[in-house]
Amino acid sequence: MERIAVLGGGSWATALVKVLSENKSDVRWWIRNQDDVHHLQQYGHNPRYLSGVRFDLNHVKPSSNLLETIEGADWVILAVPAAFVQTALKDLPLDVFKGKTLISAVKGMIPKENLLITQYLEQKYNVPADHQCVIAGPCHAEEVALEKQSYLTIGSLNMNRAEQFCALLRNRYVKANPLDDMDGIEYCAVMKNIIALACGIAHGLNYGDNFQAVMVSNSMQEIERFIDALMPLHRDLTGSAYLGDLLVTAYSQFSRNRTFGNMIGRGYTVKSAQVEMNMVAEGYYAVQSIFEINKRLNVDMPITTAVYHILYEKISPTVEIEILKDKFK
Protein backbone atom coordinates (compact mmCIF):
# COMPACT_ATOMS: atom_id res chain seq x y z
CA MET A 1 0.00 0.00 0.00
CA GLU A 2 1.39 3.40 -1.04
CA ARG A 3 1.71 5.99 1.73
CA ILE A 4 0.71 9.41 0.49
CA ALA A 5 0.63 12.75 2.32
CA VAL A 6 -1.76 15.41 1.01
CA LEU A 7 -1.11 18.92 2.30
CA GLY A 8 -4.04 21.35 2.14
CA GLY A 9 -7.70 21.45 3.08
CA GLY A 10 -9.22 23.05 -0.03
CA SER A 11 -11.37 21.64 -2.79
CA TRP A 12 -8.54 20.27 -4.95
CA ALA A 13 -6.86 18.60 -1.98
CA THR A 14 -10.23 17.10 -1.02
CA ALA A 15 -10.80 15.75 -4.54
CA LEU A 16 -7.32 14.21 -4.66
CA VAL A 17 -7.82 12.53 -1.28
CA LYS A 18 -11.07 11.08 -2.61
CA VAL A 19 -9.41 9.58 -5.69
CA LEU A 20 -6.33 8.25 -3.90
CA SER A 21 -8.15 6.80 -0.90
CA GLU A 22 -10.79 5.11 -3.05
CA ASN A 23 -7.90 3.51 -4.94
CA LYS A 24 -6.87 2.09 -1.54
CA SER A 25 -3.77 4.17 -0.94
CA ASP A 26 -2.96 5.05 2.66
CA VAL A 27 -3.57 8.82 2.74
CA ARG A 28 -2.30 11.08 5.53
CA TRP A 29 -4.18 14.37 5.14
CA TRP A 30 -2.84 17.57 6.68
CA ILE A 31 -5.33 20.37 7.31
CA ARG A 32 -4.26 23.42 9.28
CA ASN A 33 -7.56 24.00 11.09
CA GLN A 34 -7.91 21.61 14.03
CA ASP A 35 -11.70 21.99 14.14
CA ASP A 36 -11.89 20.80 10.53
CA VAL A 37 -9.71 17.82 11.40
CA HIS A 38 -12.01 16.91 14.31
CA HIS A 39 -15.04 17.25 12.04
CA LEU A 40 -13.48 14.92 9.48
CA GLN A 41 -12.57 12.39 12.15
CA GLN A 42 -16.10 12.44 13.54
CA TYR A 43 -18.25 12.75 10.43
CA GLY A 44 -16.02 11.62 7.55
CA HIS A 45 -16.32 14.71 5.33
CA ASN A 46 -14.63 18.09 4.87
CA PRO A 47 -16.94 20.72 6.42
CA ARG A 48 -15.64 23.56 4.22
CA TYR A 49 -15.09 22.16 0.72
CA LEU A 50 -16.85 19.46 -1.31
CA SER A 51 -18.71 18.49 1.84
CA GLY A 52 -20.76 15.88 -0.04
CA VAL A 53 -17.66 13.67 -0.44
CA ARG A 54 -17.51 10.94 2.22
CA PHE A 55 -14.20 9.37 3.23
CA ASP A 56 -13.35 5.90 4.46
CA LEU A 57 -11.33 6.71 7.57
CA ASN A 58 -9.62 3.32 7.31
CA HIS A 59 -7.73 4.81 4.37
CA VAL A 60 -7.72 8.53 5.30
CA LYS A 61 -5.98 9.87 8.40
CA PRO A 62 -6.64 13.61 8.92
CA SER A 63 -4.18 15.54 11.08
CA SER A 64 -3.13 19.09 11.92
CA ASN A 65 0.46 17.93 12.61
CA LEU A 66 2.33 18.74 9.42
CA LEU A 67 5.67 17.11 10.25
CA GLU A 68 4.01 13.90 11.40
CA THR A 69 1.92 13.77 8.23
CA ILE A 70 4.97 14.11 5.98
CA GLU A 71 7.37 11.83 7.84
CA GLY A 72 5.44 8.62 7.22
CA ALA A 73 4.83 9.22 3.51
CA ASP A 74 6.54 8.08 0.31
CA TRP A 75 4.71 10.65 -1.82
CA VAL A 76 3.91 14.23 -0.69
CA ILE A 77 1.27 16.19 -2.60
CA LEU A 78 1.35 19.94 -2.08
CA ALA A 79 -2.15 21.38 -2.58
CA VAL A 80 -1.84 24.67 -0.69
CA PRO A 81 -2.48 27.96 -2.57
CA ALA A 82 0.83 29.34 -3.85
CA ALA A 83 0.55 32.49 -1.75
CA PHE A 84 0.53 30.37 1.44
CA VAL A 85 3.14 27.73 0.59
CA GLN A 86 6.00 29.51 2.37
CA THR A 87 3.93 30.08 5.51
CA ALA A 88 2.64 26.52 5.57
CA LEU A 89 6.12 24.97 5.27
CA LYS A 90 8.19 27.52 7.18
CA ASP A 91 8.68 25.50 10.40
CA LEU A 92 9.76 22.29 8.68
CA PRO A 93 13.38 21.08 8.81
CA LEU A 94 15.14 21.62 5.49
CA ASP A 95 15.75 17.90 4.98
CA VAL A 96 12.13 16.88 5.64
CA PHE A 97 11.50 15.79 2.05
CA LYS A 98 14.68 13.73 1.65
CA GLY A 99 13.98 10.46 -0.16
CA LYS A 100 10.38 11.40 -0.95
CA THR A 101 8.67 12.30 -4.21
CA LEU A 102 7.05 15.76 -4.20
CA ILE A 103 3.99 16.41 -6.34
CA SER A 104 2.83 19.97 -6.91
CA ALA A 105 -0.93 20.33 -7.29
CA VAL A 106 -0.51 24.10 -7.11
CA LYS A 107 -1.24 26.09 -10.27
CA GLY A 108 0.48 29.25 -9.11
CA MET A 109 3.83 30.85 -8.27
CA ILE A 110 5.57 31.93 -5.08
CA PRO A 111 4.71 35.66 -4.83
CA LYS A 112 7.56 38.19 -4.77
CA GLU A 113 10.15 35.46 -5.45
CA ASN A 114 8.53 34.72 -8.85
CA LEU A 115 9.36 31.03 -8.58
CA LEU A 116 7.43 28.00 -9.75
CA ILE A 117 6.55 25.66 -6.88
CA THR A 118 9.01 23.05 -8.17
CA GLN A 119 11.77 25.69 -8.33
CA TYR A 120 11.02 26.80 -4.78
CA LEU A 121 11.11 23.23 -3.42
CA GLU A 122 14.43 22.62 -5.15
CA GLN A 123 16.04 25.83 -3.92
CA LYS A 124 14.63 25.88 -0.37
CA TYR A 125 14.37 22.18 0.53
CA ASN A 126 16.93 20.63 -1.83
CA VAL A 127 14.34 18.44 -3.56
CA PRO A 128 15.96 17.35 -6.84
CA ALA A 129 13.97 18.20 -9.96
CA ASP A 130 13.76 14.51 -10.91
CA HIS A 131 12.12 13.76 -7.54
CA GLN A 132 9.25 16.10 -8.36
CA CYS A 133 6.05 15.90 -10.41
CA VAL A 134 3.40 18.41 -11.43
CA ILE A 135 -0.33 17.70 -11.73
CA ALA A 136 -1.78 19.45 -14.76
CA GLY A 137 -4.71 19.22 -17.12
CA PRO A 138 -8.37 20.31 -17.32
CA CYS A 139 -9.68 18.88 -14.07
CA HIS A 140 -11.95 20.90 -11.76
CA ALA A 141 -12.23 19.53 -8.25
CA GLU A 142 -16.01 19.88 -8.32
CA GLU A 143 -16.32 17.56 -11.32
CA VAL A 144 -13.93 15.02 -9.81
CA ALA A 145 -16.13 15.00 -6.70
CA LEU A 146 -19.13 14.30 -8.96
CA GLU A 147 -17.14 11.52 -10.67
CA LYS A 148 -17.35 13.20 -14.07
CA GLN A 149 -14.87 11.90 -16.64
CA SER A 150 -11.61 13.77 -16.06
CA TYR A 151 -8.11 13.81 -17.53
CA LEU A 152 -4.83 14.56 -15.77
CA THR A 153 -1.29 14.98 -17.02
CA ILE A 154 1.59 14.26 -14.65
CA GLY A 155 4.68 16.22 -15.64
CA SER A 156 8.12 15.10 -14.50
CA LEU A 157 11.71 14.83 -15.64
CA ASN A 158 11.55 11.23 -14.39
CA MET A 159 9.02 9.40 -16.56
CA ASN A 160 9.09 6.25 -14.43
CA ARG A 161 8.14 8.28 -11.39
CA ALA A 162 5.42 10.09 -13.34
CA GLU A 163 3.95 6.78 -14.55
CA GLN A 164 3.96 5.39 -11.00
CA PHE A 165 1.96 8.37 -9.80
CA CYS A 166 -0.42 8.13 -12.79
CA ALA A 167 -1.15 4.56 -11.72
CA LEU A 168 -2.14 5.77 -8.24
CA LEU A 169 -4.70 8.17 -9.76
CA ARG A 170 -6.32 6.12 -12.51
CA ASN A 171 -9.84 4.86 -11.95
CA ARG A 172 -13.08 4.57 -13.92
CA TYR A 173 -13.51 8.37 -14.17
CA VAL A 174 -9.90 9.66 -14.00
CA LYS A 175 -7.40 9.06 -16.78
CA ALA A 176 -3.79 10.08 -16.14
CA ASN A 177 -0.80 10.19 -18.48
CA PRO A 178 2.87 11.17 -17.99
CA LEU A 179 4.65 14.00 -19.83
CA ASP A 180 8.30 15.07 -19.64
CA ASP A 181 7.69 18.84 -20.09
CA MET A 182 7.41 19.63 -16.36
CA ASP A 183 8.35 23.32 -16.52
CA GLY A 184 6.28 23.95 -19.65
CA ILE A 185 3.04 22.60 -18.22
CA GLU A 186 3.69 24.31 -14.89
CA TYR A 187 4.13 27.73 -16.53
CA CYS A 188 1.10 27.10 -18.73
CA ALA A 189 -0.97 26.20 -15.66
CA VAL A 190 0.08 29.49 -14.08
CA MET A 191 -0.70 31.57 -17.15
CA LYS A 192 -4.09 30.04 -17.91
CA ASN A 193 -5.32 31.51 -14.62
CA ILE A 194 -4.33 34.98 -15.83
CA ILE A 195 -6.23 34.40 -19.08
CA ALA A 196 -9.28 33.19 -17.15
CA LEU A 197 -9.17 36.42 -15.14
CA ALA A 198 -9.12 38.41 -18.38
CA CYS A 199 -12.07 36.41 -19.73
CA GLY A 200 -13.98 37.02 -16.52
CA ILE A 201 -13.28 40.74 -16.66
CA ALA A 202 -14.54 40.89 -20.25
CA HIS A 203 -17.66 38.94 -19.29
CA GLY A 204 -18.28 41.31 -16.39
CA LEU A 205 -18.12 44.17 -18.89
CA ASN A 206 -20.79 42.42 -21.02
CA TYR A 207 -18.51 41.27 -23.83
CA GLY A 208 -19.90 38.16 -25.47
CA ASP A 209 -18.75 34.72 -26.56
CA ASN A 210 -17.34 36.01 -29.85
CA PHE A 211 -14.90 38.30 -28.08
CA GLN A 212 -13.95 35.66 -25.54
CA ALA A 213 -13.15 33.15 -28.29
CA VAL A 214 -10.80 35.67 -29.90
CA MET A 215 -9.23 36.46 -26.52
CA VAL A 216 -8.57 32.78 -25.80
CA SER A 217 -7.05 32.14 -29.23
CA ASN A 218 -4.80 35.20 -28.85
CA SER A 219 -3.88 34.11 -25.33
CA MET A 220 -2.60 30.77 -26.62
CA GLN A 221 -0.21 32.68 -28.86
CA GLU A 222 0.83 34.82 -25.89
CA ILE A 223 1.52 31.77 -23.73
CA GLU A 224 3.55 30.16 -26.52
CA ARG A 225 5.68 33.29 -26.99
CA PHE A 226 6.38 33.50 -23.27
CA ILE A 227 7.22 29.83 -22.71
CA ASP A 228 9.39 29.69 -25.85
CA ALA A 229 11.34 32.72 -24.62
CA LEU A 230 11.97 31.00 -21.29
CA MET A 231 12.75 27.48 -22.56
CA PRO A 232 12.79 26.88 -26.31
CA LEU A 233 11.55 23.34 -26.84
CA HIS A 234 9.33 21.67 -29.39
CA ARG A 235 6.00 21.17 -27.62
CA ASP A 236 2.45 20.79 -28.89
CA LEU A 237 0.43 23.35 -26.95
CA THR A 238 -2.83 21.97 -28.33
CA GLY A 239 -2.54 19.06 -25.86
CA SER A 240 -4.91 18.75 -22.91
CA ALA A 241 -2.20 19.74 -20.41
CA TYR A 242 -1.91 23.11 -22.18
CA LEU A 243 -4.90 24.12 -24.29
CA GLY A 244 -7.33 21.84 -22.45
CA ASP A 245 -6.45 23.35 -19.08
CA LEU A 246 -6.73 26.85 -20.52
CA LEU A 247 -10.16 26.22 -22.03
CA VAL A 248 -11.78 24.75 -18.93
CA THR A 249 -10.43 27.56 -16.76
CA ALA A 250 -11.50 30.27 -19.18
CA TYR A 251 -15.03 28.96 -19.73
CA SER A 252 -16.14 26.86 -16.76
CA GLN A 253 -18.67 27.90 -14.13
CA PHE A 254 -16.32 26.30 -11.56
CA SER A 255 -13.35 28.53 -12.45
CA ARG A 256 -12.56 30.72 -9.48
CA ASN A 257 -10.24 32.87 -11.60
CA ARG A 258 -12.98 33.56 -14.14
CA THR A 259 -15.38 34.28 -11.26
CA PHE A 260 -12.89 36.67 -9.68
CA GLY A 261 -12.35 38.46 -13.00
CA ASN A 262 -16.08 38.70 -13.59
CA MET A 263 -16.48 40.48 -10.26
CA ILE A 264 -13.69 42.92 -11.14
CA GLY A 265 -15.35 43.63 -14.49
CA ARG A 266 -18.64 44.33 -12.72
CA GLY A 267 -16.99 46.96 -10.51
CA TYR A 268 -15.80 45.10 -7.40
CA THR A 269 -12.51 46.16 -5.87
CA VAL A 270 -9.85 43.47 -5.55
CA LYS A 271 -10.32 43.29 -1.78
CA SER A 272 -14.11 43.08 -1.90
CA ALA A 273 -13.96 40.34 -4.56
CA GLN A 274 -11.48 38.34 -2.47
CA VAL A 275 -13.65 38.64 0.64
CA GLU A 276 -16.84 37.64 -1.14
CA MET A 277 -15.27 34.65 -2.90
CA ASN A 278 -13.60 33.25 0.24
CA MET A 279 -11.36 31.23 -2.10
CA VAL A 280 -7.97 32.01 -3.60
CA ALA A 281 -7.80 33.04 -7.26
CA GLU A 282 -4.24 32.06 -8.14
CA GLY A 283 -4.21 34.37 -11.15
CA TYR A 284 -4.22 37.45 -8.93
CA TYR A 285 -0.76 36.62 -7.57
CA ALA A 286 0.48 34.94 -10.75
CA VAL A 287 0.01 37.98 -12.98
CA GLN A 288 2.41 40.02 -10.86
CA SER A 289 5.05 37.27 -11.06
CA ILE A 290 4.70 36.77 -14.81
CA PHE A 291 4.71 40.53 -15.40
CA GLU A 292 7.96 40.86 -13.40
CA ILE A 293 9.63 37.93 -15.19
CA ASN A 294 8.67 39.44 -18.54
CA LYS A 295 10.52 42.67 -17.74
CA ARG A 296 13.74 40.86 -18.65
CA LEU A 297 12.26 38.82 -21.51
CA ASN A 298 10.37 41.68 -23.16
CA VAL A 299 7.84 39.35 -24.79
CA ASP A 300 4.70 40.85 -26.33
CA MET A 301 2.07 39.98 -23.70
CA PRO A 302 -0.89 42.36 -24.06
CA ILE A 303 -3.40 40.25 -22.08
CA THR A 304 -1.07 39.74 -19.12
CA THR A 305 -0.20 43.44 -19.18
CA ALA A 306 -3.86 44.45 -19.23
CA VAL A 307 -4.72 42.23 -16.25
CA TYR A 308 -1.71 43.53 -14.32
CA HIS A 309 -2.71 47.14 -14.99
CA ILE A 310 -6.28 46.48 -13.82
CA LEU A 311 -5.39 44.59 -10.64
CA TYR A 312 -2.21 46.33 -9.50
CA GLU A 313 -2.29 49.80 -11.05
CA LYS A 314 -6.07 50.27 -10.66
CA ILE A 315 -6.56 51.21 -14.30
CA SER A 316 -10.17 50.96 -15.43
CA PRO A 317 -11.12 47.53 -16.81
CA THR A 318 -13.15 49.31 -19.51
CA VAL A 319 -10.06 51.20 -20.69
CA GLU A 320 -7.79 48.14 -20.70
CA ILE A 321 -10.22 45.91 -22.59
CA GLU A 322 -10.78 48.69 -25.15
CA ILE A 323 -7.00 48.72 -25.73
CA LEU A 324 -6.98 44.94 -26.10
CA LYS A 325 -9.74 45.07 -28.71
CA ASP A 326 -7.43 46.83 -31.14
CA LYS A 327 -4.59 44.35 -30.58
CA PHE A 328 -6.54 41.19 -31.37
CA LYS A 329 -6.84 39.71 -34.84
Side-chain angles (χ1 to χ4, degrees), residues 180-227:
D180 59 2
D181 183 23
M182 185 170 73
D183 288 348
I185 63 174
E186 195 170 6
Y187 270 115
C188 194
V190 169
M191 291 197 63
K192 55 94 181 178
N193 287 328
I194 299 171
I195 305 309
L197 269 170
C199 288
I201 291 169
H203 186 265
L205 291 170
N206 291 318
Y207 284 83
D209 293 344
N210 294 342
F211 181 75
Q212 178 161 328
V214 173
M215 178 180 282
V216 170
S217 62
N218 275 264
S219 72
M220 205 64 220
Q221 299 168 37
E222 182 167 318
I223 291 171
E224 185 171 13
R225 289 194 297 268
F226 179 76
I227 294 178

Side-chain angles (χ1 to χ4, degrees), residues 4 23 52 92 99 116 164 174 177 186 233 237 240 242 254 275 277 292 297 311 322:
I4 304 171
N23 283 351
L92 293 175
L116 296 173
Q164 288 173 33
V174 173
N177 293 292
E186 195 170 6
L233 177 72
L237 293 185
S240 63
Y242 310 98
F254 295 125
V275 168
M277 277 186 63
E292 290 296 323
L297 298 174
L311 298 183
E322 280 289 330

